[in-house]
Amino acid sequence: MDESSGIIKEIKKKVQELRSRGFNLYPSGFRRDITVEEVLNRFGKMDNNALKEITDTFTLAGRVMSIRDFGKAVFIHIKDGTGKLQAYIRKDRVGDDDFAIFKFIDIGDHVGLTGQLFRTKTDELTILASSVVLLTKVQSPLPEKYHGLIDVETRYRQRYLDLIVNDNVRHTFILRSRIIQTIREFFDKENFIEVETPMMQSIPGGATARPFKTYHHTLGMDLYLRVAPELYLKRLVIGGLEKIYELNRNFRNEGISTNHNPEFTMLEFYVAYATYEDLMDLTEKLFLYLLKKLFGQLTIEYQGNTVNFTTPWPRISLMDALKDIGGIGENVLLDNKALIDLARSKGLEIQDNEGIGSVLARLFEHTVEPKLIQPTFVVDYPIEVSPLSRRKDENSEIAERFELFIAGKEIVNGFSELNDPDDQRERFLKQASLRDSGDEEALFMDEDYLRALEYGLPPTAGEGIGIDRLVMILTDSPSIRDVILFPQMRKK
RNA sequence: GGGCCGUUAGCUCAGUCCGGUAGAGCAGCGGACUUUUAAUCCGUUGGUCGCGCGUUCGAUUCGCGCACGGCCCA
């Protein structure tokens, strides 16, 4: 314990000194009667003459963020959950004893203050303390006030420090909360109900992704953390819950990058008696609601690009996107061997038994996706990469499916649901054979889900929205770790 | 999995190319100061230079390996 650095030793010395004087460094029961934000709202525009009329005293609490010591008087800034306010503590106001104790204060300590408001010479609204109490003593120093905390590793591992020191981080997570709240509000208004389905599943399903595996001791069975709630939500539609959504965590045992965290937040929603085209309309409506409510405008800046959400958004087929945006010639698109050669020449690893639908999808990811800055729906995905989607009536190799791209990122995946149990069984079988040949992302055969489909899933459309990526775009954050409070890190 | 970069005081960073056991600012500590706000002024403490091995008389510096992190690629 005593191997701590000099600065920590100094603080611990103060702690000992104060304790030996019988001081409680962690008292309970202090109550504030106003927050910084309320002070600023009520008195932020008053000049000193107006403030003199206010004879009330106020009691605030907050963390000490800076100290300017003048001997017999001290200026500090305190910060509470709503803002920052200066306090002026004078020996002749708080008394010799309290002032002597106050001299032990460190940056980072929580204090309670009572006093009246005034403006300083430099016109800053300030509370002139008539009493000061220590509410919580820090025993570790805060990062420096001016440069803040920059080291990204420390910011993620000790997010509390990041939040204390970096106001923009705090704003990002407050905005994240408001985004999620507004999404729920939208779906409530649209008469959806929110449901919760299992995170621990005996057969993981709903997305082609490698799952995390765990074990239930009492039941004596393997369980998987869900990669998607999809198959359970469709069971509920079968059960007659016609408009539902779930907004919660998914887990995928895959790499970590600026766009991927092993656990991430997903919104999925389902509408009975609707098609994927209806969902594209609903998605536009949702985004307009979010943008207007949160920003009061339809354009935002993301990493130097202006993104304009004005509807309608273009709807372009995957093949057209490859041709017009990816710059791939029509003759190549229609020639399987040429496509595979092209993909390999771009550095993609294509297995010999890989289907052409998969090659197309991966070429799309590589050549088109990063270029889709403005909101764009891409439609008509190959059936091969859409094992839960309904086939188009006019082309059985194409799915009634869309994805939405914004700022070069896949944000949304939606489709008309496959509700033919026989077709679904065939798709599962195809996935199972992929799994047998080593594809750990392929879907598991799910007899229980097939049984549910036998009872009749009405024509239904469903959609998933990656909430973390959406929050990235709406908060202008370059990495998913900037919008997840505690991103996954290696053990140190 | 591969490539590149980083890891030095509590924080933010120099120094390392060209080897001789380290500096600054802030923070801290002591002192002065009752309207400052990156307060100011005087003085001052603080380091297993990420870890290990190697080369060398001598390694924070050079080499190799490892750990953690970042960016890019797969």
Side-chain angles (χ1 to χ4, degrees), chain A residues 436-451:
Chain A
D436 288 343
S437 59
D439 183 353
E440 293 195 80
E441 297 188 349
L443 292 181
F444 287 69
M445 170 59 76
D446 191 337
E447 290 291 351
D448 187 71
Y449 176 65
L450 289 172
R451 182 173 68 165

Side-chain angles (χ1 to χ4, degrees), chain A residues 286-470:
Chain A
L286 166 65
F287 273 77
L288 289 187
Y289 188 81
L290 279 174
L291 270 284
K292 282 180 185 159
K293 191 103 184 184
L294 297 170
F295 305 111
Q297 59 179 54
L298 294 184
T299 60
I300 56 154
E301 286 294 313
Y302 183 74
Q303 301 296 298
N305 286 313
T306 301
V307 179
N308 188 337
F309 288 87
T310 304
T311 55
W313 304 331
R315 301 179 183 189
I316 179 172
S317 76
L318 185 87
M319 288 303 246
D320 284 347
L322 283 166
K323 188 163 47 118
D324 299 340
I325 300 165
I328 299 174
E330 202 157 6
N331 50 331
V332 176
L333 283 174
L334 296 172
D335 180 341
N336 290 1
K337 190 178 171 305
L339 273 174
I340 290 169
D341 289 346
L342 178 68
R344 286 189 171 140
S345 77
K346 290 183 183 294
L348 299 174
E349 273 179 43
I350 306 293
Q351 308 296 324
D352 288 335
N353 61 346
E354 191 162 330
I356 204 64
S358 166
V359 175
L360 284 169
R362 290 174 60 193
L363 266 174
F364 173 85
E365 270 176 44
H366 195 265
T367 61
V368 181
E369 192 170 314
K371 293 181 182 164
L372 297 177
I373 304 301
Q374 301 306 320
T376 306
F377 288 115
V378 174
V379 297
D380 293 350
Y381 279 74
I383 275 293
E384 182 193 333
V385 294
S386 315
L388 301 166
S389 307
R390 185 184 190 282
R391 294 177 195 273
K392 281 196 134 177
D393 289 336
E394 60 273 26
N395 183 346
S396 65
E397 283 309 302
I398 299 293
E400 289 192 358
R401 174 179 170 194
F402 67 94
E403 291 194 356
L404 171 65
F405 297 87
I406 303 169
K409 296 178 202 305
E410 177 198 333
I411 304 295
V412 169
N413 178 26
F415 41 87
S416 302
E417 302 299 335
L418 174 56
N419 61 347
D420 174 343
D422 298 325
D423 192 1
Q424 184 67 73
R425 176 176 295 279
E426 278 174 39
R427 309 277 192 97
F428 275 145
L429 286 170
K430 209 158 252 167
Q431 290 286 316
S433 78
L434 285 176
R435 172 160 289 279
D436 288 343
S437 59
D439 183 353
E440 293 195 80
E441 297 188 349
L443 292 181
F444 287 69
M445 170 59 76
D446 191 337
E447 290 291 351
D448 187 71
Y449 176 65
L450 289 172
R451 182 173 68 165
L453 280 186
E454 303 266 347
Y455 287 93
L457 172 66
T460 297
E463 172 171 336
I465 301 183
I467 295 300
D468 307 286
R469 290 185 192 170
L470 173 64

Side-chain angles (χ1 to χ4, degrees), chain A residues 53-338:
Chain A
E53 307 286 310
I54 313 285
T55 53
D56 307 0
T57 63
F58 299 100
T59 300
L60 287 141
R63 190 189 283 274
V64 176
M65 298 307 289
S66 60
I67 301 173
R68 289 174 295 282
D69 189 340
F70 285 81
K72 296 188 182 65
V74 183
F75 287 94
I76 63 174
H77 270 104
I78 63 160
K79 192 162 151 183
D80 70 9
T82 66
K84 204 189 264 190
L85 186 72
Q86 180 167 258
Y88 185 35
I89 294 100
R90 295 167 54 127
K91 191 177 182 184
D92 59 9
R93 298 283 295 215
V94 300
D96 291 1
D97 292 348
D98 281 1
F99 195 77
I101 291 299
F102 180 72
K103 286 281 186 170
F104 282 89
I105 215 83
D106 283 297
I107 288 173
D109 287 347
H110 292 270
V111 295
L113 291 158
T114 299
Q116 283 179 287
L117 294 163
F118 76 109
R119 280 188 184 276
T120 62
K121 274 183 189 169
T122 51
D123 205 33
E124 178 166 347
L125 186 64
T126 300
I127 182 166
L128 174 60
S130 50
S131 77
V132 192
V133 279
L134 176 65
L135 299 181
T136 295
K137 186 96 199 82
V138 286
Q139 298 205 26
S140 236
L142 251 44
E144 190 224 334
K145 60 184 175 185
Y146 185 58
H147 295 94
L149 179 64
I150 291 174
D151 182 73
V152 285
E153 186 172 352
T154 309
R155 287 185 42 223
Y156 297 152
R157 289 189 195 273
Q158 294 178 271
R159 183 69 90 180
Y160 45 92
L161 293 179
D162 198 21
L163 286 164
I164 291 168
V165 172
N166 296 325
D167 283 336
N168 59 325
V169 172
R170 180 188 177 79
H171 289 136
T172 294
F173 287 105
I174 290 172
L175 187 51
R176 179 182 173 119
S177 166
R178 291 185 56 216
I179 290 166
I180 289 172
Q181 182 194 347
T182 307
I183 289 172
R184 287 204 160 97
E185 193 179 284
F186 174 82
F187 281 99
D188 285 351
K189 284 195 167 137
E190 293 283 328
N191 295 315
F192 282 71
I193 62 166
E194 182 173 7
V195 296
E196 293 166 273
T197 63
M199 299 243 179
M200 297 163 76
Q201 306 176 344
S202 54
I203 302 173
T208 48
R210 188 173 167 185
F212 286 94
K213 193 176 184 178
T214 185
Y215 182 75
H216 192 291
H217 291 283
T218 307
L219 295 178
M221 64 192 258
D222 289 333
L223 284 170
Y224 298 86
L225 298 187
R226 75 177 184 196
V227 294
E230 172 155 349
L231 301 186
Y232 284 93
L233 292 171
K234 287 195 275 200
R235 285 173 170 97
L236 294 178
V237 179
I238 294 168
L241 302 181
E242 295 180 348
K243 295 177 88 175
I244 53 175
Y245 74 96
E246 179 161 12
L247 205 173
N248 219 315
R249 218 71 62 84
N250 288 345
F251 307 86
R252 296 186 183 176
N253 204 340
E254 292 164 357
I256 294 177
S257 76
T258 44
N259 283 310
H260 297 86
N261 195 63
E263 54 180 305
F264 63 99
T265 301
M266 179 90 132
L267 164 69
E268 282 203 13
F269 54 97
Y270 289 80
V271 184
Y273 310 112
T275 70
Y276 75 121
E277 285 174 319
D278 299 323
L279 286 195
M280 284 190 271
D281 296 340
L282 188 63
T283 304
E284 288 179 342
K285 195 174 174 186
L286 166 65
F287 273 77
L288 289 187
Y289 188 81
L290 279 174
L291 270 284
K292 282 180 185 159
K293 191 103 184 184
L294 297 170
F295 305 111
Q297 59 179 54
L298 294 184
T299 60
I300 56 154
E301 286 294 313
Y302 183 74
Q303 301 296 298
N305 286 313
T306 301
V307 179
N308 188 337
F309 288 87
T310 304
T311 55
W313 304 331
R315 301 179 183 189
I316 179 172
S317 76
L318 185 87
M319 288 303 246
D320 284 347
L322 283 166
K323 188 163 47 118
D324 299 340
I325 300 165
I328 299 174
E330 202 157 6
N331 50 331
V332 176
L333 283 174
L334 296 172
D335 180 341
N336 290 1
K337 190 178 171 305

